[in-house]
Amino acid sequence: MRRRALSQPDQRRAVVRDAVGIGVAVGAYGLSFGAAAVTAGLSTLQACALSLLVFTGASQFALVGVLGAGGSVLAAVASALLLGSRNTLYAVRLSALLPVRGVRRVAAAQLTIDESTGMATAAPRGLELTAFWATGASVYVLWNLATLLGAVGAARLGDPAVLGLDAAVPAAFLALLAPQVRARRTLGVAVAGALVALAAVPLFPPGVPVLLAGLVVLPLLVRP
Amino acid sequence: MIWAAVLLASAGCFLLKIAGWSVPAAWLERDRLQRAAVLLPVPLLAALVVVQTFAGDQRLVVDARAAGLAVGAVLVVLRAPFLLVVVAAAVTAAALRALA
């Protein structure tokens, strides 16, 4: 994002405009999350609580996916936490970049996700804070509104299997995965994870195969 | 039970975020740990794709979900918008079931 030609107020407006645009795009995920959660057997209130409190998309999809497949609470929560662990690394980067102190850190922590981190780190110098708060706030508001709409919509539509919503959930995961596997090495890790999970399905209770797939990154910790 | 999962995941995911804002950066800046953590979502998401498509009652099955995913995959390769991918997968599976 190079905006050196623009003046500071123009740059600020451009950052805020981008932040709103990202919020609208993320709303699409929110709609399908709300629908997926209700399909998995959660109430509308539970779906909305997840978006308000967990507020990290892949973790939320994983939690309802595992619960919907009959997995245990432990397996569902563990999948969600593993997928949420990258937010810790984002937060480390952001805390070095943004002067946020005191109680505001609590709000900043809750808004620490892929999109707000991406926007803050790509922002023109001096606008990192604006980019972070604007993106975080815009995604938070639209993600939660969309979750409510998706959940209410799916609850009214009736038998989800007849409608095919159970096929929408893996497609959603694939769409989340796609931008991360453009490199050949990452593609290999994805295929390995999928194979481990498939092999584990007949052997372990629901939810556990997904956790086992996470083990394929272990060699990276050992090998230089 | 579902509420327990909702609240545990909420608390855990928030702790993961606030931890990163609180710990000294040097703790997490070890190269290998970074690489492993950044890569972790890849096998997990890939596993979720195949498990949500092919798992049925602790065995592997191929049903209308697989057809839905195949259509979704083509659209992902074509870089279609997220909502189109998801809706096309659902409509494909629903149509197949209506025909069967």
Side-chain angles (χ1 to χ4, degrees), chain A residues 35-60:
Chain A
V38 167
T39 307
L42 276 73
S43 65
T44 300
L45 187 61
Q46 286 165 335
C48 290
L50 279 175
S51 284
L52 286 165
L53 299 173
V54 174
F55 189 56
T56 178
S59 295
Q60 295 179 224

Side-chain angles (χ1 to χ4, degrees), chain A residues 139-159:
Chain A
V139 172
Y140 192 80
V141 168
L142 290 163
W143 173 253
N144 278 289
L145 277 177
T147 300
L148 177 63
L149 281 177
V152 170
R156 291 215 170 159
L157 286 174
D159 187 357

Side-chain angles (χ1 to χ4, degrees), chain A residues 28-29 31-32 41-42 45-46 49-50 53-56 58-59 62-63 65-67 73 77 80-89 91-92 94-95 98 100 105-106 108-110 112-113 132 161-178 180-182 185-186 189-190 193-194 197-198 201-206 209-211 213-214 216-217 220-224, chain B residues 1-61 63-74 76-77 79-95 97-98:
Chain A
Y29 293 70
L31 277 177
S32 43
L42 276 73
L45 187 61
Q46 286 165 335
L50 279 175
L53 299 173
V54 174
F55 189 56
T56 178
S59 295
L63 187 89
V66 172
L67 287 176
V73 168
V77 173
L81 293 184
L82 284 177
L83 280 165
S85 62
R86 72 187 183 289
N87 291 331
T88 308
L89 297 175
V92 170
L94 290 173
S95 68
L98 307 175
V100 180
R105 281 208 162 186
V106 175
Q110 183 64 342
T112 300
I113 50 167
F132 174 77
V162 173
L163 280 165
L165 277 176
D166 55 344
V169 177
F173 282 124
L174 188 66
L176 287 173
L177 175 65
Q180 304 191 39
V181 294
R182 306 273 184 227
R185 180 177 189 180
T186 351
V189 173
L198 283 179
V201 162
L203 305 173
F204 296 94
V210 173
L211 297 179
V216 304
V217 303
L220 280 181
L221 283 177
V222 191
R223 259 206 328 244
Chain B
M1 283 305 266
I2 290 180
W3 274 115
V6 169
L7 296 177
L8 282 173
S10 300
C13 285
F14 181 73
L15 286 175
L16 284 171
K17 293 169 174 176
I18 198 85
W21 280 90
S22 312
V23 301
W27 285 17
L28 289 164
E29 275 181 351
R30 286 176 32 220
D31 242 24
R32 292 175 197 176
L33 189 64
Q34 285 259 11
R35 238 186 309 154
V38 167
L39 208 51
L40 186 57
V42 170
L44 293 176
L45 289 171
L48 283 162
V49 171
V50 295
V51 166
Q52 298 282 317
T53 305
F54 299 109
D57 218 10
Q58 272 190 258
R59 59 197 183 84
L60 299 176
V61 293
D63 56 23
R65 289 175 298 174
L69 181 70
V71 170
V74 169
V76 164
V77 170
R79 311 213 174 181
F82 182 83
L83 205 54
L84 180 62
V85 172
V86 172
V87 169
V91 168
T92 304
R97 285 176 179 139

